[in-house]
Amino acid sequence: MAQHTEVIIDLSALQHNVSIARKAAPYSKLMAVIKANAYGHGMLDIADALSEVDGFAVARVGEAIQLREAGVKKTILVLTGFVSADEVAQFSNYDLDAVIHSEYQLELLDLSGSCKPLSIWLKINTGMNRLGVDRSAVVRIHDALQLSGKVRLPIKFMTHLACADDMDATTTSEQIELFDKSISGLTGEQSIANSAGLLGWQQARRHWVRPGIMLYGGSPFCDTKACDEDLLPVMTLKSSVISLQTVKKGEYVGYGATWQAKRTSLIATVGVGYGDGYPRHAEAGTRVLVAGQKAPLVGRVSMDSINIDVSQCDNIQVGDEVVLWGAGLPIEDVANKSATISYELMCGITDRVARVIKGVGDGE
Ligand SMILES: Cc1ncc(COP(=O)(O)O)c(C=O)c1O
């Protein structure tokens, strides 16, 4: 019996989610965030499938170079910018857009030899206190960049929202206001919105929007599921039942004997574990779909397997398909039961899991 633990990447769901982003921000250019291997979906495949977006954002220069070397011609923004003078030359050679988030990057520009002028996005700290120049320094840094002769004009402006996923947070409007104040009198394209900003905060939709999680079908909000937003899951993690056994009342299942059968139970072992990216911290009771029926996880997650109680399911057989998250089972349910977020689950799929791309128009 072949054991299949695989992720299905559904490109028609991706296209659907892009159309939701376009509808929500029809006047903005769309920069798809495809860092961290496109949140675990496969960066090159996703970039290839997103031919109609206006640009891509990644976190590291290495990711951007990989895209250029694969033939991507669109704007590629590197969200951390350059961190050494050598990297400045790479930005120029590969025609990459750089975020300037700290003053030391001005010195790196100075130190770098002569190269083609760079496209720059000046990132302003409006309250997240992660990356971004101080608001009081915006005009000075902007002037210095303009005078450097090393950047293409006009410079663009961006900020990042800390709490856009929470529709009750007052900080989002405050951040947007601070952004507007700090660039008042300066001209250049602007970008504020991640997925939550794009869907939830109309004032955040500027010249460019930068959605990530929503494109993959994850909910950007802290208290809704993706399907509430009409988003479709792009990634489905699947495995199969590799063993079935009856456990008597009072017996235990799994490492540490943390789960005890309250009655005689039919336990299925599924060939997926934390070695594949299924979260080690998933609680007993986390649902999976086995042969289309819901069943709870029992005992601890192992490296290569989990156990589920199929006593209440009809006619479960060795070889039956098990969906861990994705189509039919919101990833947020698993994330909530594992003290994490959908982003981390998506990014955590390991190399040994086969990735199967389902193209637009392919049937099940
Ligand atoms: C600067 C920046 N913009 C946009 C995004 C996309 O965010 P999301 O995946 O929540 O849409 C991220 C993701 O971490 C980011 O760091």
Side-chain angles (χ1 to χ4, degrees):
M1 181 195 59
Q3 189 193 316
H4 297 291
T5 298
E6 57 189 23
V7 278
I8 313 295
I9 303 297
D10 181 352
L11 298 181
S12 58
L14 181 75
Q15 305 300 4
H16 168 86
N17 299 337
V18 170
S19 74
I20 296 210
R22 286 279 192 211
K23 256 187 235 147
Y27 307 113
S28 303
K29 286 183 259 192
L30 199 152
M31 173 167 288
V33 180
I34 57 170
K35 61 193 172 127
N37 201 23
Y39 295 36
H41 291 68
M43 184 176 71
L44 296 182
D45 290 323
I46 295 295
D48 198 37
L50 288 177
S51 56
E52 88 286 16
V53 303
D54 304 290
F56 294 116
V58 292
R60 312 261 162 83
V61 69
E63 294 174 312
I65 290 174
Q66 215 187 326
L67 287 168
R68 280 282 181 258
E69 289 185 341
V72 171
K73 302 269 187 291
K74 293 178 196 297
T75 295
I76 302 176
L77 175 62
V78 179
L79 294 168
T80 46
F82 40 80
V83 293
S84 68
D86 290 347
E87 275 190 8
V88 176
Q90 289 182 309
F91 274 77
S92 173
N93 294 341
Y94 286 93
D95 192 20
L96 305 174
D97 285 30
V99 170
I100 295 275
H101 51 77
S102 304
E103 285 206 57
Y104 79 87
Q105 292 172 303
L106 291 180
E107 287 159 39
L108 297 179
L109 257 188
D110 269 355
L111 287 172
S112 66
S114 63
C115 49
K116 273 180 285 156
L118 301 185
S119 291
I120 296 290
W121 299 59
L122 181 55
K123 184 170 187 175
I124 301 160
N125 178 14
T126 53
M128 176 124 170
N129 292 315
R130 190 176 65 173
L131 294 179
V133 302
D134 195 80
R135 295 191 312 281
S136 62
V138 170
V139 172
R140 182 170 49 78
I141 294 175
H142 181 263
D143 288 351
L145 286 166
Q146 273 193 323
L147 292 173
S148 71
K150 294 199 166 174
V151 309
R152 256 180 240 158
L153 302 177
I155 292 160
K156 299 182 182 69
F157 302 97
M158 65 182 284
T159 194
H160 195 41
L161 300 172
C163 304
D165 61 328
D166 177 359
M167 292 307 296
D168 296 327
T170 53
T171 48
T172 300
S173 303
E174 288 163 14
Q175 280 196 267
I176 295 171
E177 225 171 276
L178 287 176
F179 178 75
D180 287 337
K181 273 195 195 142
S182 34
I183 60 168
S184 131
L186 302 173
T187 45
E189 290 187 335
Q190 305 163 14
S191 177
I192 300 178
N194 57 359
S195 299
L198 190 170
L199 288 176
W201 302 87
Q202 203 239 323
Q203 324 87 290
R205 296 175 203 139
R206 301 293 168 96
H207 301 88
W208 290 83
V209 288
R210 310 187 308 268
I213 194 73
M214 68 172 292
L215 302 181
Y216 309 108
S219 172
F221 297 110
C222 50
D223 59 359
T224 55
K225 298 211 173 75
C227 44
D228 300 337
E229 304 296 333
D230 287 331
L231 299 169
L232 297 175
V234 176
M235 173 190 285
T236 295
L237 176 62
K238 280 186 182 174
S239 186
S240 57
V241 174
I242 55 170
S243 159
L244 275 170
Q245 58 184 311
T246 301
V247 172
K248 291 199 198 88
K249 181 179 172 182
E251 289 184 335
Y252 295 91
V253 172
Y255 280 123
T258 58
W259 187 83
Q260 186 177 30
K262 291 201 175 76
R263 60 190 75 83
T264 298
S265 307
L266 184 61
I267 301 297
T269 300
V270 181
V272 68
Y274 64 81
D276 302 290
Y278 192 81
R280 161 89 174 48
H281 293 292
E283 290 169 16
T286 306
R287 303 276 164 191
V288 306
L289 273 186
V290 50
Q293 305 167 68
K294 287 196 171 145
L297 182 74
V298 298
R300 283 196 188 145
V301 172
S302 303
M303 189 183 289
D304 312 308
S305 63
I306 58 172
N307 297 297
I308 56 175
D309 182 354
V310 293
S311 310
Q312 307 299 317
C313 302
D314 287 336
N315 192 28
I316 299 302
Q317 309 283 333
V318 167
D320 279 352
E321 181 180 280
V322 179
V323 171
L324 289 316
W325 64 67
L329 190 67
I331 192 167
E332 289 79 15
D333 285 359
V334 184
N336 289 339
K337 289 275 196 183
S338 314
T340 185
I341 51 174
S342 58
Y343 299 66
E344 190 181 31
L345 295 183
M346 291 175 184
C347 290
I349 295 296
T350 63
D351 282 350
R352 78 173 178 189
V353 180
R355 185 150 5 93
V356 178
I357 308 287
K358 208 170 102 182
V360 177
D362 289 358
E364 255 297 339

mmCIF file of all heavy atoms in Angstrom, residues 244 266 290-295 309-317 320:
data_model
loop_
_atom_site.group_PDB
_atom_site.id
_atom_site.type_symbol
_atom_site.label_atom_id
_atom_site.label_comp_id
_atom_site.label_asym_id
_atom_site.label_seq_id
_atom_site.Cartn_x
_atom_site.Cartn_y
_atom_site.Cartn_z
ATOM 1 N N LEU A 244 -5.421 0.306 11.949
ATOM 2 C CA LEU A 244 -6.655 0.423 12.745
ATOM 3 C C LEU A 244 -6.541 -0.552 13.888
ATOM 4 O O LEU A 244 -6.132 -1.707 13.667
ATOM 5 C CB LEU A 244 -7.865 0.010 11.894
ATOM 6 C CG LEU A 244 -8.494 1.063 10.991
ATOM 7 C CD1 LEU A 244 -9.499 0.392 10.051
ATOM 8 C CD2 LEU A 244 -9.182 2.167 11.795
ATOM 9 N N LEU A 266 -12.312 2.471 18.564
ATOM 10 C CA LEU A 266 -11.586 2.115 17.347
ATOM 11 C C LEU A 266 -10.649 3.282 17.021
ATOM 12 O O LEU A 266 -11.098 4.414 16.790
ATOM 13 C CB LEU A 266 -12.563 1.874 16.199
ATOM 14 C CG LEU A 266 -11.922 1.405 14.891
ATOM 15 C CD1 LEU A 266 -11.179 0.061 15.071
ATOM 16 C CD2 LEU A 266 -12.978 1.267 13.784
ATOM 17 N N VAL A 290 -11.781 12.191 8.064
ATOM 18 C CA VAL A 290 -11.364 10.878 7.589
ATOM 19 C C VAL A 290 -12.488 10.311 6.728
ATOM 20 O O VAL A 290 -13.638 10.265 7.178
ATOM 21 C CB VAL A 290 -10.979 9.933 8.770
ATOM 22 C CG1 VAL A 290 -12.033 9.883 9.852
ATOM 23 C CG2 VAL A 290 -10.635 8.532 8.282
ATOM 24 N N ALA A 291 -12.160 9.971 5.508
ATOM 25 C CA ALA A 291 -13.175 9.535 4.537
ATOM 26 C C ALA A 291 -14.382 10.483 4.579
ATOM 27 O O ALA A 291 -15.538 10.057 4.590
ATOM 28 C CB ALA A 291 -13.598 8.089 4.814
ATOM 29 N N GLY A 292 -14.106 11.767 4.679
ATOM 30 C CA GLY A 292 -15.165 12.782 4.657
ATOM 31 C C GLY A 292 -15.888 12.958 5.988
ATOM 32 O O GLY A 292 -16.809 13.772 6.078
ATOM 33 N N GLN A 293 -15.476 12.228 7.037
ATOM 34 C CA GLN A 293 -16.179 12.339 8.327
ATOM 35 C C GLN A 293 -15.247 12.932 9.382
ATOM 36 O O GLN A 293 -14.057 12.642 9.397
ATOM 37 C CB GLN A 293 -16.618 10.940 8.790
ATOM 38 C CG GLN A 293 -17.455 10.204 7.748
ATOM 39 C CD GLN A 293 -17.597 8.724 8.113
ATOM 40 O OE1 GLN A 293 -18.253 8.394 9.090
ATOM 41 N NE2 GLN A 293 -16.979 7.852 7.332
ATOM 42 N N LYS A 294 -15.845 13.737 10.284
ATOM 43 C CA LYS A 294 -15.005 14.362 11.319
ATOM 44 C C LYS A 294 -14.626 13.354 12.378
ATOM 45 O O LYS A 294 -15.448 12.528 12.786
ATOM 46 C CB LYS A 294 -15.768 15.505 11.968
ATOM 47 C CG LYS A 294 -15.858 16.695 11.039
ATOM 48 C CD LYS A 294 -16.265 17.954 11.766
ATOM 49 C CE LYS A 294 -16.112 19.124 10.813
ATOM 50 N NZ LYS A 294 -17.104 20.144 10.994
ATOM 51 N N ALA A 295 -13.372 13.418 12.825
ATOM 52 C CA ALA A 295 -12.920 12.541 13.913
ATOM 53 C C ALA A 295 -11.887 13.303 14.742
ATOM 54 O O ALA A 295 -11.134 14.118 14.209
ATOM 55 C CB ALA A 295 -12.300 11.268 13.333
ATOM 56 N N ASP A 309 -9.704 8.946 16.881
ATOM 57 C CA ASP A 309 -10.754 8.048 17.354
ATOM 58 C C ASP A 309 -11.845 7.994 16.285
ATOM 59 O O ASP A 309 -12.529 9.000 16.053
ATOM 60 C CB ASP A 309 -11.304 8.582 18.678
ATOM 61 C CG ASP A 309 -12.369 7.662 19.270
ATOM 62 O OD1 ASP A 309 -12.757 6.673 18.598
ATOM 63 O OD2 ASP A 309 -12.816 7.941 20.397
ATOM 64 N N VAL A 310 -11.972 6.843 15.646
ATOM 65 C CA VAL A 310 -12.963 6.725 14.560
ATOM 66 C C VAL A 310 -14.160 5.886 14.992
ATOM 67 O O VAL A 310 -14.919 5.384 14.157
ATOM 68 C CB VAL A 310 -12.309 6.164 13.262
ATOM 69 C CG1 VAL A 310 -11.322 7.165 12.692
ATOM 70 C CG2 VAL A 310 -11.634 4.816 13.498
ATOM 71 N N SER A 311 -14.336 5.745 16.309
ATOM 72 C CA SER A 311 -15.439 4.911 16.826
ATOM 73 C C SER A 311 -16.790 5.392 16.317
ATOM 74 O O SER A 311 -17.706 4.592 16.113
ATOM 75 C CB SER A 311 -15.471 4.939 18.354
ATOM 76 O OG SER A 311 -14.212 4.661 18.881
ATOM 77 N N GLN A 312 -16.917 6.727 16.129
ATOM 78 C CA GLN A 312 -18.223 7.277 15.716
ATOM 79 C C GLN A 312 -18.346 7.383 14.193
ATOM 80 O O GLN A 312 -19.333 7.917 13.697
ATOM 81 C CB GLN A 312 -18.417 8.681 16.309
ATOM 82 C CG GLN A 312 -18.234 8.783 17.812
ATOM 83 C CD GLN A 312 -19.233 7.921 18.563
ATOM 84 O OE1 GLN A 312 -20.423 7.889 18.219
ATOM 85 N NE2 GLN A 312 -18.749 7.185 19.558
ATOM 86 N N CYS A 313 -17.337 6.940 13.452
ATOM 87 C CA CYS A 313 -17.369 7.076 11.983
ATOM 88 C C CYS A 313 -17.863 5.772 11.354
ATOM 89 O O CYS A 313 -17.758 4.701 11.945
ATOM 90 C CB CYS A 313 -15.973 7.384 11.434
ATOM 91 S SG CYS A 313 -15.236 8.860 12.115
ATOM 92 N N ASP A 314 -18.363 5.906 10.105
ATOM 93 C CA ASP A 314 -18.862 4.724 9.391
ATOM 94 C C ASP A 314 -17.758 4.082 8.576
ATOM 95 O O ASP A 314 -17.123 4.761 7.765
ATOM 96 C CB ASP A 314 -19.972 5.141 8.396
ATOM 97 C CG ASP A 314 -21.238 5.499 9.133
ATOM 98 O OD1 ASP A 314 -21.405 5.017 10.272
ATOM 99 O OD2 ASP A 314 -22.016 6.300 8.580
ATOM 100 N N ASN A 315 -17.570 2.808 8.796
ATOM 101 C CA ASN A 315 -16.820 1.971 7.864
ATOM 102 C C ASN A 315 -15.442 2.517 7.479
ATOM 103 O O ASN A 315 -15.154 2.699 6.297
ATOM 104 C CB ASN A 315 -17.693 1.783 6.595
ATOM 105 C CG ASN A 315 -17.123 0.696 5.701
ATOM 106 O OD1 ASN A 315 -16.462 -0.242 6.181
ATOM 107 N ND2 ASN A 315 -17.344 0.826 4.401
ATOM 108 N N ILE A 316 -14.622 2.808 8.469
ATOM 109 C CA ILE A 316 -13.271 3.310 8.168
ATOM 110 C C ILE A 316 -12.343 2.131 7.855
ATOM 111 O O ILE A 316 -12.357 1.104 8.531
ATOM 112 C CB ILE A 316 -12.731 4.125 9.369
ATOM 113 C CG1 ILE A 316 -13.634 5.338 9.638
ATOM 114 C CG2 ILE A 316 -11.276 4.571 9.137
ATOM 115 C CD1 ILE A 316 -13.797 6.295 8.477
ATOM 116 N N GLN A 317 -11.529 2.306 6.799
ATOM 117 C CA GLN A 317 -10.625 1.242 6.336
ATOM 118 C C GLN A 317 -9.192 1.768 6.301
ATOM 119 O O GLN A 317 -8.983 2.978 6.117
ATOM 120 C CB GLN A 317 -10.963 0.851 4.881
ATOM 121 C CG GLN A 317 -12.410 0.546 4.601
ATOM 122 C CD GLN A 317 -12.798 -0.839 5.096
ATOM 123 O OE1 GLN A 317 -11.943 -1.723 5.182
ATOM 124 N NE2 GLN A 317 -14.049 -1.014 5.448
ATOM 125 N N ASP A 320 -7.883 4.793 3.883
ATOM 126 C CA ASP A 320 -8.818 5.916 3.706
ATOM 127 C C ASP A 320 -8.076 7.249 3.781
ATOM 128 O O ASP A 320 -7.127 7.411 4.556
ATOM 129 C CB ASP A 320 -9.899 5.896 4.794
ATOM 130 C CG ASP A 320 -11.020 4.912 4.469
ATOM 131 O OD1 ASP A 320 -11.031 4.376 3.340
ATOM 132 O OD2 ASP A 320 -11.863 4.671 5.361
#
